[in-house]
Amino acid sequence: GIGGPGVDEPDTDTGNGTWEEIAYDDFEASAGVWGTAANKRLIEQSMDGGSYSLRMKKSQTLRSDWIDVQLYSEVKIKFHYYGSGMEAGEGFMLKGRFNNEEFVSLEEWMVGTDFANGEWKEVEVTLAASGKNTMQWEFVNIANQGNDRIYIDNVRIEGREPEERDRKRRRRKERHEQKEEEGGGGKKKKKRKRKRRGKEEEVEKEKERARKG
């Protein structure tokens, strides 16, 4: 679906650094970081005038590639979903795992309680990631018939750096900019000195010529 990365509200939590985008997929051009689900990228339902989304039916799954999360203290997934033909007791689940651990169920959404068939909804799930290297996400359909379908679209994965690392990075950038400014000033001074020396030499040569003449 088409949606494009939206503008997040400013983060008011001062305990951590800023959120940054790791991956965004609207499935219009490809399955993106959901490569193993490429055969479930279909033209059936899509957000905001797009054509494609990922589809699960019966008990199918959609699994992401391994995602590098070493830099982050937290990771977040935001996505839109749409239910079709889901009946009482049916829904879908989001799982996650780090560094080849077992998948853990993070959250589930059930028809009639969390959503109704035939409408797009947006949700997000945040996960602590300190000390972890890589992770995978997995959607799991909880249904038993071919017409029990969940569509997933406009999936954004974000990471938040620990505040200390975020501060250090900003300080390094400021120092680098400061050095560049100072360096630029130094070069100008050297050039001016060189010009002055050149003029003095010319004056001396003129004097010498005058004496000889």
Side-chain angles (χ1 to χ4, degrees):
I2 296 170
V7 179
D8 282 347
E9 290 297 311
D11 211 309
T12 51
D13 181 355
T14 53
N16 274 298
T18 48
W19 286 102
E20 62 180 54
E21 191 174 288
I22 300 170
Y24 176 80
D25 293 301
D26 63 10
F27 310 114
E28 294 304 303
S30 72
V33 299
W34 303 83
T36 60
N39 63 333
K40 300 183 184 87
R41 176 181 162 263
L42 301 163
I43 302 177
E44 285 186 17
Q45 292 291 341
S46 188
M47 272 290 295
D48 302 328
S51 301
Y52 289 88
S53 62
L54 298 184
R55 184 195 72 189
M56 297 183 288
K57 59 184 183 181
K58 292 188 178 179
S59 55
Q60 287 180 334
T61 62
L62 304 171
R63 186 178 290 186
S64 77
D65 302 337
W66 283 102
I67 292 160
D68 188 345
V69 295
Q70 298 182 74
L71 295 175
Y72 308 111
S73 59
E74 287 179 283
V75 285
K76 174 163 64 181
I77 186 167
K78 297 163 92 170
F79 62 93
H80 287 82
Y81 70 92
Y82 180 100
S84 173
M86 303 297 278
E87 293 150 12
E90 295 179 336
F92 72 105
M93 184 188 301
L94 176 67
K95 294 182 172 186
R97 68 171 176 176
F98 292 105
N99 311 3
N100 285 319
E101 297 167 5
E102 292 297 309
F103 273 106
V104 174
S105 176
L106 303 173
E107 205 160 325
E108 64 177 37
W109 296 268
M110 305 303 288
V111 70
T113 309
D114 303 297
F115 69 94
N117 285 311
E119 61 181 26
W120 283 102
K121 289 195 77 173
E122 184 180 23
V123 288
E124 63 177 62
V125 176
T126 304
L127 201 55
S130 291
K132 305 295 185 182
N133 294 321
T134 56
M135 81 161 295
Q136 271 185 317
W137 303 94
E138 183 179 66
F139 293 105
V140 181
N141 211 31
I142 307 165
N144 57 19
Q145 291 176 8
N147 65 346
D148 301 335
R149 298 171 180 193
I150 292 287
Y151 298 88
I152 304 289
D153 206 354
N154 294 1
V155 185
R156 179 183 288 107
I157 298 165
E158 297 179 339
R160 182 148 73 165
E161 287 188 297
E163 188 185 20
E164 187 55 34
R165 188 182 287 135
D166 198 36
R167 257 206 312 267
K168 279 180 183 170
R169 187 161 51 81
R170 280 202 297 267
R171 274 205 299 271
R172 271 201 304 274
K173 192 181 172 191
E174 282 165 13
R175 277 203 298 271
H176 180 69
E177 284 169 0
Q178 205 174 335
K179 273 182 186 172
E180 278 192 341
E181 280 175 23
E182 287 170 2
K187 281 174 191 169
K188 280 175 191 170
K189 280 177 189 170
K190 279 179 188 171
K191 275 184 185 172
R192 271 202 293 273
K193 275 185 181 174
R194 224 174 274 133
K195 275 184 185 174
R196 206 161 44 236
R197 202 174 294 129
K199 278 183 183 173
E200 284 166 7
E201 282 170 10
E202 276 175 31
V203 169
E204 285 301 317
K205 279 177 187 170
E206 281 294 320
K207 284 180 183 172
E208 190 67 31
R209 273 199 293 272
R211 274 201 297 274
K212 283 178 182 173

